[in-house]
Amino acid sequence: FMMLMIMLVSGAGLISDDLKHNSLQLYFARPLTKKDYLIGKVAVLAFFLLSLTLLPGSIFILFKLLFEGNFRFLATYPWLPTAIVASSLLTTAFFCSYTLLLSSLSRNRRYVSILIFAIYFFSDILFGILSDNFKKPAFALISIKENLQQVGAFLFQQKPTYPVPWEYSFFILVAVCLAAVFALHRRVREVEIVR
């Protein structure tokens, strides 16, 4: 988990540094579209996030098959490879969107780094406070971590931690991703190119 947070903080400057140094005008003065620019930023984060999520899961399955010497493990859990891929892609898509959204909000890399940590941890702390005081499992929907775990529990066919439909958590994660795409599109569109 700490590696994930460190990676996200290192990605804090992906857009904020470009805004700070007015580099966007320089990028778009060349034959580079705004879509290409955003795909490049996402690709950098996605590479490292997938190396933390998809790679270990794939290695686990590979070693399990090698040490057992047969495919009984996959026969018992045929959904496991799909669950690992789907969970990795969801986590990667969410954290790419989350990091790039926050990175586009400010020109200050330190401020963005603090925001990445603060929002993630504050959502969990707020969930803990409200859950302890009101004893309602629906407050799990406030926490980024709990939403990811609820969807992950569904993907891995496990009992969810809280009796809240996983679809709600999935909807919240997708909504954050869509809001990030919209905000990034608007932020990059604001840059005017003088030719």
Side-chain angles (χ1 to χ4, degrees):
F1 170 76
M2 284 312 291
M3 283 297 294
L4 178 67
M5 282 291 124
I6 289 168
M7 203 171 295
L8 293 179
V9 167
S10 66
L14 282 174
I15 294 179
S16 61
D17 287 347
D18 292 342
L19 293 171
K20 180 179 180 180
H21 301 297
N22 292 324
S23 303
L24 291 177
Q25 289 87 348
L26 182 64
Y27 291 146
F28 299 140
R30 287 160 174 64
L32 178 72
T33 65
K34 293 170 185 173
K35 180 180 171 184
D36 295 335
Y37 171 78
L38 290 175
I39 288 173
K41 297 296 181 179
V42 168
V44 170
L45 273 175
F47 172 78
F48 291 108
L49 288 169
L50 287 172
S51 70
L52 280 179
T53 56
L54 183 61
L55 190 61
S58 302
I59 290 173
F60 164 74
I61 290 177
L62 180 64
F63 280 143
K64 186 72 174 167
L65 293 174
L66 287 174
F67 289 128
E68 279 194 1
N70 57 41
F71 289 96
R72 218 173 329 151
F73 175 72
L74 283 181
T76 308
Y77 304 103
W79 46 264
L80 190 58
T82 307
I84 288 172
V85 171
S87 177
S88 297
L89 292 177
L90 175 70
T91 303
T92 300
F94 174 78
F95 280 118
C96 281
S97 302
Y98 172 75
T99 303
L100 291 177
L101 171 65
L102 295 177
S103 179
S104 71
L105 295 178
S106 173
R107 296 173 185 261
N108 188 331
R109 176 189 274 244
R110 288 186 196 103
Y111 176 68
V112 172
S113 299
I114 291 168
L115 264 180
I116 288 171
F117 269 113
I119 291 173
Y120 184 87
F121 287 117
F122 181 73
S123 71
D124 210 35
I125 291 168
L126 183 62
F127 155 65
I129 291 169
L130 292 174
S131 178
D132 286 346
N133 288 328
F134 298 106
K135 308 293 186 213
K136 300 272 187 194
F139 286 118
L141 297 173
I142 295 172
S143 171
I144 293 171
K145 181 181 84 172
E146 297 303 332
N147 282 315
L148 288 167
Q149 287 181 350
Q150 287 286 103
V151 176
F154 167 76
L155 291 173
F156 287 97
Q157 299 183 6
Q158 299 295 310
K159 183 181 178 192
T161 311
Y162 301 98
V164 178
W166 70 270
E167 292 93 345
Y168 294 171
S169 293
F170 181 75
F171 176 75
I172 288 170
L173 297 174
V174 169
V176 169
C177 291
L178 292 176
V181 168
F182 177 74
L184 286 168
H185 181 68
R186 282 195 65 169
R187 185 71 168 165
V188 172
R189 194 178 60 188
E190 290 172 1
V191 177
E192 292 185 17
I193 306 302
V194 178
R195 295 183 194 243

